[in-house]
mmCIF file of all heavy atoms in Angstrom:
data_model
loop_
_atom_site.group_PDB
_atom_site.id
_atom_site.type_symbol
_atom_site.label_atom_id
_atom_site.label_comp_id
_atom_site.label_asym_id
_atom_site.label_seq_id
_atom_site.Cartn_x
_atom_site.Cartn_y
_atom_site.Cartn_z
ATOM 1 N N ARG A 1059 93.516 125.077 94.895
ATOM 2 C CA ARG A 1059 93.813 124.102 93.827
ATOM 3 C C ARG A 1059 92.558 123.364 93.360
ATOM 4 O O ARG A 1059 91.635 123.099 94.220
ATOM 5 C CB ARG A 1059 94.886 123.072 94.344
ATOM 6 C CG ARG A 1059 96.156 123.694 94.913
ATOM 7 C CD ARG A 1059 96.905 124.531 93.860
ATOM 8 N NE ARG A 1059 97.514 123.629 92.858
ATOM 9 C CZ ARG A 1059 98.712 123.000 93.006
ATOM 10 N NH1 ARG A 1059 99.419 123.176 94.175
ATOM 11 N NH2 ARG A 1059 99.199 122.286 92.083
ATOM 12 N N PRO A 1060 92.511 122.963 92.105
ATOM 13 C CA PRO A 1060 91.296 122.320 91.591
ATOM 14 C C PRO A 1060 91.004 120.979 92.279
ATOM 15 O O PRO A 1060 89.831 120.571 92.349
ATOM 16 C CB PRO A 1060 91.576 122.095 90.108
ATOM 17 C CG PRO A 1060 93.044 122.258 89.950
ATOM 18 C CD PRO A 1060 93.517 123.178 91.076
ATOM 19 N N PHE A 1061 92.027 120.288 92.782
ATOM 20 C CA PHE A 1061 91.805 118.977 93.395
ATOM 21 C C PHE A 1061 91.504 119.053 94.901
ATOM 22 O O PHE A 1061 91.300 117.994 95.547
ATOM 23 C CB PHE A 1061 93.033 118.111 93.136
ATOM 24 C CG PHE A 1061 94.339 118.692 93.669
ATOM 25 C CD1 PHE A 1061 94.749 118.626 94.969
ATOM 26 C CD2 PHE A 1061 95.192 119.337 92.747
ATOM 27 C CE1 PHE A 1061 95.910 119.150 95.409
ATOM 28 C CE2 PHE A 1061 96.415 119.920 93.161
ATOM 29 C CZ PHE A 1061 96.715 119.839 94.571
ATOM 30 N N PHE A 1062 91.376 120.291 95.461
ATOM 31 C CA PHE A 1062 91.249 120.437 96.914
ATOM 32 C C PHE A 1062 89.958 119.739 97.456
ATOM 33 O O PHE A 1062 90.118 118.992 98.483
ATOM 34 C CB PHE A 1062 91.146 121.951 97.240
ATOM 35 C CG PHE A 1062 90.992 122.186 98.720
ATOM 36 C CD1 PHE A 1062 92.034 122.010 99.635
ATOM 37 C CD2 PHE A 1062 89.834 122.772 99.176
ATOM 38 C CE1 PHE A 1062 91.865 122.248 100.949
ATOM 39 C CE2 PHE A 1062 89.639 123.017 100.563
ATOM 40 C CZ PHE A 1062 90.689 122.800 101.446
ATOM 41 N N ASP A 1063 88.909 119.865 96.814
ATOM 42 C CA ASP A 1063 87.652 119.284 97.363
ATOM 43 C C ASP A 1063 87.725 117.761 97.369
ATOM 44 O O ASP A 1063 87.406 117.072 98.396
ATOM 45 C CB ASP A 1063 86.424 119.760 96.571
ATOM 46 C CG ASP A 1063 85.140 119.456 97.292
ATOM 47 O OD1 ASP A 1063 85.027 119.902 98.434
ATOM 48 O OD2 ASP A 1063 84.270 118.727 96.731
ATOM 49 N N GLY A 1064 88.180 117.191 96.223
ATOM 50 C CA GLY A 1064 88.335 115.764 96.129
ATOM 51 C C GLY A 1064 89.363 115.184 97.144
ATOM 52 O O GLY A 1064 89.171 114.137 97.715
ATOM 53 N N LEU A 1065 90.384 115.982 97.306
ATOM 54 C CA LEU A 1065 91.449 115.572 98.268
ATOM 55 C C LEU A 1065 90.913 115.538 99.724
ATOM 56 O O LEU A 1065 91.213 114.538 100.423
ATOM 57 C CB LEU A 1065 92.588 116.612 98.161
ATOM 58 C CG LEU A 1065 93.779 116.449 99.130
ATOM 59 C CD1 LEU A 1065 94.578 115.176 98.878
ATOM 60 C CD2 LEU A 1065 94.726 117.679 99.029
ATOM 61 N N CYS A 1066 90.113 116.518 100.037
ATOM 62 C CA CYS A 1066 89.534 116.545 101.425
ATOM 63 C C CYS A 1066 88.491 115.510 101.614
ATOM 64 O O CYS A 1066 88.396 114.853 102.695
ATOM 65 C CB CYS A 1066 88.969 117.946 101.736
ATOM 66 S SG CYS A 1066 90.365 119.179 101.796
ATOM 67 N N ASP A 1067 87.655 115.206 100.564
ATOM 68 C CA ASP A 1067 86.737 114.103 100.688
ATOM 69 C C ASP A 1067 87.482 112.790 100.877
ATOM 70 O O ASP A 1067 87.112 111.923 101.651
ATOM 71 C CB ASP A 1067 85.961 113.937 99.308
ATOM 72 C CG ASP A 1067 84.763 114.912 99.265
ATOM 73 O OD1 ASP A 1067 84.256 115.300 100.363
ATOM 74 O OD2 ASP A 1067 84.325 115.233 98.132
ATOM 75 N N PHE A 1068 88.585 112.632 100.121
ATOM 76 C CA PHE A 1068 89.377 111.391 100.228
ATOM 77 C C PHE A 1068 89.982 111.263 101.579
ATOM 78 O O PHE A 1068 89.901 110.173 102.235
ATOM 79 C CB PHE A 1068 90.465 111.353 99.114
ATOM 80 C CG PHE A 1068 91.497 110.322 99.316
ATOM 81 C CD1 PHE A 1068 91.155 108.986 99.377
ATOM 82 C CD2 PHE A 1068 92.831 110.685 99.561
ATOM 83 C CE1 PHE A 1068 92.116 108.025 99.638
ATOM 84 C CE2 PHE A 1068 93.747 109.717 99.741
ATOM 85 C CZ PHE A 1068 93.407 108.373 99.805
ATOM 86 N N LEU A 1069 90.617 112.263 102.108
ATOM 87 C CA LEU A 1069 91.267 112.166 103.449
ATOM 88 C C LEU A 1069 90.285 111.829 104.552
ATOM 89 O O LEU A 1069 90.601 111.123 105.514
ATOM 90 C CB LEU A 1069 92.078 113.452 103.818
ATOM 91 C CG LEU A 1069 92.988 113.293 104.982
ATOM 92 C CD1 LEU A 1069 94.271 112.446 104.651
ATOM 93 C CD2 LEU A 1069 93.433 114.621 105.559
ATOM 94 N N SER A 1070 89.010 112.324 104.374
ATOM 95 C CA SER A 1070 87.987 112.074 105.405
ATOM 96 C C SER A 1070 87.159 110.841 105.129
ATOM 97 O O SER A 1070 86.175 110.635 105.789
ATOM 98 C CB SER A 1070 87.125 113.323 105.522
ATOM 99 O OG SER A 1070 86.519 113.668 104.310
ATOM 100 N N SER A 1071 87.599 110.021 104.181
ATOM 101 C CA SER A 1071 86.761 108.872 103.696
ATOM 102 C C SER A 1071 87.003 107.648 104.561
ATOM 103 O O SER A 1071 86.275 106.629 104.347
ATOM 104 C CB SER A 1071 86.998 108.559 102.244
ATOM 105 O OG SER A 1071 88.335 108.041 102.098
ATOM 106 N N GLY A 1072 87.940 107.607 105.471
ATOM 107 C CA GLY A 1072 88.200 106.437 106.279
ATOM 108 C C GLY A 1072 89.257 106.705 107.287
ATOM 109 O O GLY A 1072 89.724 107.853 107.399
ATOM 110 N N PRO A 1073 89.692 105.630 107.966
ATOM 111 C CA PRO A 1073 90.695 105.857 109.018
ATOM 112 C C PRO A 1073 92.071 106.306 108.419
ATOM 113 O O PRO A 1073 92.543 105.843 107.405
ATOM 114 C CB PRO A 1073 90.889 104.465 109.609
ATOM 115 C CG PRO A 1073 89.858 103.560 109.046
ATOM 116 C CD PRO A 1073 89.233 104.272 107.848
ATOM 117 N N VAL A 1074 92.640 107.236 109.181
ATOM 118 C CA VAL A 1074 94.014 107.754 108.893
ATOM 119 C C VAL A 1074 94.858 107.441 110.134
ATOM 120 O O VAL A 1074 94.436 107.560 111.275
ATOM 121 C CB VAL A 1074 93.942 109.299 108.762
ATOM 122 C CG1 VAL A 1074 95.319 109.930 108.678
ATOM 123 C CG2 VAL A 1074 93.155 109.683 107.513
ATOM 124 N N LEU A 1075 96.081 106.927 109.888
ATOM 125 C CA LEU A 1075 97.036 106.671 110.980
ATOM 126 C C LEU A 1075 97.890 107.872 111.145
ATOM 127 O O LEU A 1075 98.801 108.118 110.317
ATOM 128 C CB LEU A 1075 97.827 105.373 110.763
ATOM 129 C CG LEU A 1075 98.616 105.022 112.031
ATOM 130 C CD1 LEU A 1075 97.688 104.268 113.054
ATOM 131 C CD2 LEU A 1075 99.792 104.106 111.712
ATOM 132 N N ALA A 1076 97.623 108.667 112.210
ATOM 133 C CA ALA A 1076 98.352 109.914 112.449
ATOM 134 C C ALA A 1076 99.520 109.645 113.367
ATOM 135 O O ALA A 1076 99.360 108.947 114.398
ATOM 136 C CB ALA A 1076 97.428 110.955 113.052
ATOM 137 N N MET A 1077 100.702 110.154 113.050
ATOM 138 C CA MET A 1077 101.904 109.912 113.846
ATOM 139 C C MET A 1077 102.810 111.086 113.955
ATOM 140 O O MET A 1077 102.742 111.991 113.103
ATOM 141 C CB MET A 1077 102.751 108.764 113.186
ATOM 142 C CG MET A 1077 102.057 107.488 113.054
ATOM 143 S SD MET A 1077 103.070 106.277 112.136
ATOM 144 C CE MET A 1077 102.695 106.706 110.429
ATOM 145 N N VAL A 1078 103.572 111.105 115.051
ATOM 146 C CA VAL A 1078 104.665 112.082 115.172
ATOM 147 C C VAL A 1078 105.924 111.257 115.333
ATOM 148 O O VAL A 1078 106.044 110.378 116.167
ATOM 149 C CB VAL A 1078 104.448 112.998 116.350
ATOM 150 C CG1 VAL A 1078 105.702 113.929 116.521
ATOM 151 C CG2 VAL A 1078 103.167 113.855 116.242
ATOM 152 N N TRP A 1079 106.907 111.555 114.481
ATOM 153 C CA TRP A 1079 108.251 110.916 114.513
ATOM 154 C C TRP A 1079 109.351 111.926 114.822
ATOM 155 O O TRP A 1079 109.241 113.103 114.338
ATOM 156 C CB TRP A 1079 108.551 110.205 113.217
ATOM 157 C CG TRP A 1079 107.752 108.981 112.996
ATOM 158 C CD1 TRP A 1079 106.525 108.839 112.401
ATOM 159 C CD2 TRP A 1079 108.124 107.653 113.393
ATOM 160 N NE1 TRP A 1079 106.073 107.561 112.410
ATOM 161 C CE2 TRP A 1079 107.014 106.793 112.994
ATOM 162 C CE3 TRP A 1079 109.211 107.092 114.077
ATOM 163 C CZ2 TRP A 1079 107.068 105.386 113.250
ATOM 164 C CZ3 TRP A 1079 109.208 105.706 114.298
ATOM 165 C CH2 TRP A 1079 108.174 104.877 113.841
ATOM 166 N N GLU A 1080 110.257 111.534 115.602
ATOM 167 C CA GLU A 1080 111.324 112.445 116.127
ATOM 168 C C GLU A 1080 112.717 111.922 115.689
ATOM 169 O O GLU A 1080 112.934 110.699 115.710
ATOM 170 C CB GLU A 1080 111.284 112.549 117.607
ATOM 171 C CG GLU A 1080 112.296 113.450 118.255
ATOM 172 C CD GLU A 1080 112.136 113.462 119.768
ATOM 173 O OE1 GLU A 1080 111.235 114.089 120.304
ATOM 174 O OE2 GLU A 1080 112.977 112.831 120.444
ATOM 175 N N GLY A 1081 113.600 112.792 115.335
ATOM 176 C CA GLY A 1081 115.008 112.434 115.029
ATOM 177 C C GLY A 1081 115.710 113.580 114.401
ATOM 178 O O GLY A 1081 115.120 114.615 114.048
ATOM 179 N N GLU A 1082 117.006 113.413 114.298
ATOM 180 C CA GLU A 1082 117.840 114.417 113.594
ATOM 181 C C GLU A 1082 117.457 114.481 112.175
ATOM 182 O O GLU A 1082 117.536 113.474 111.425
ATOM 183 C CB GLU A 1082 119.330 114.130 113.733
ATOM 184 C CG GLU A 1082 119.860 114.438 115.156
ATOM 185 C CD GLU A 1082 121.392 114.397 115.235
ATOM 186 O OE1 GLU A 1082 122.077 114.396 114.182
ATOM 187 O OE2 GLU A 1082 121.867 114.343 116.389
ATOM 188 N N GLY A 1083 117.103 115.650 111.693
ATOM 189 C CA GLY A 1083 116.761 115.799 110.236
ATOM 190 C C GLY A 1083 115.493 115.092 109.791
ATOM 191 O O GLY A 1083 115.303 114.891 108.532
#
Side-chain angles (χ1 to χ4, degrees):
R1059 307 297 291 276
F1061 55 82
F1062 179 69
D1063 195 57
L1065 176 64
C1066 294
D1067 276 337
F1068 167 59
L1069 192 72
S1070 57
S1071 69
V1074 170
L1075 191 77
M1077 297 174 277
V1078 176
W1079 287 90
E1080 181 180 285
E1082 284 190 17

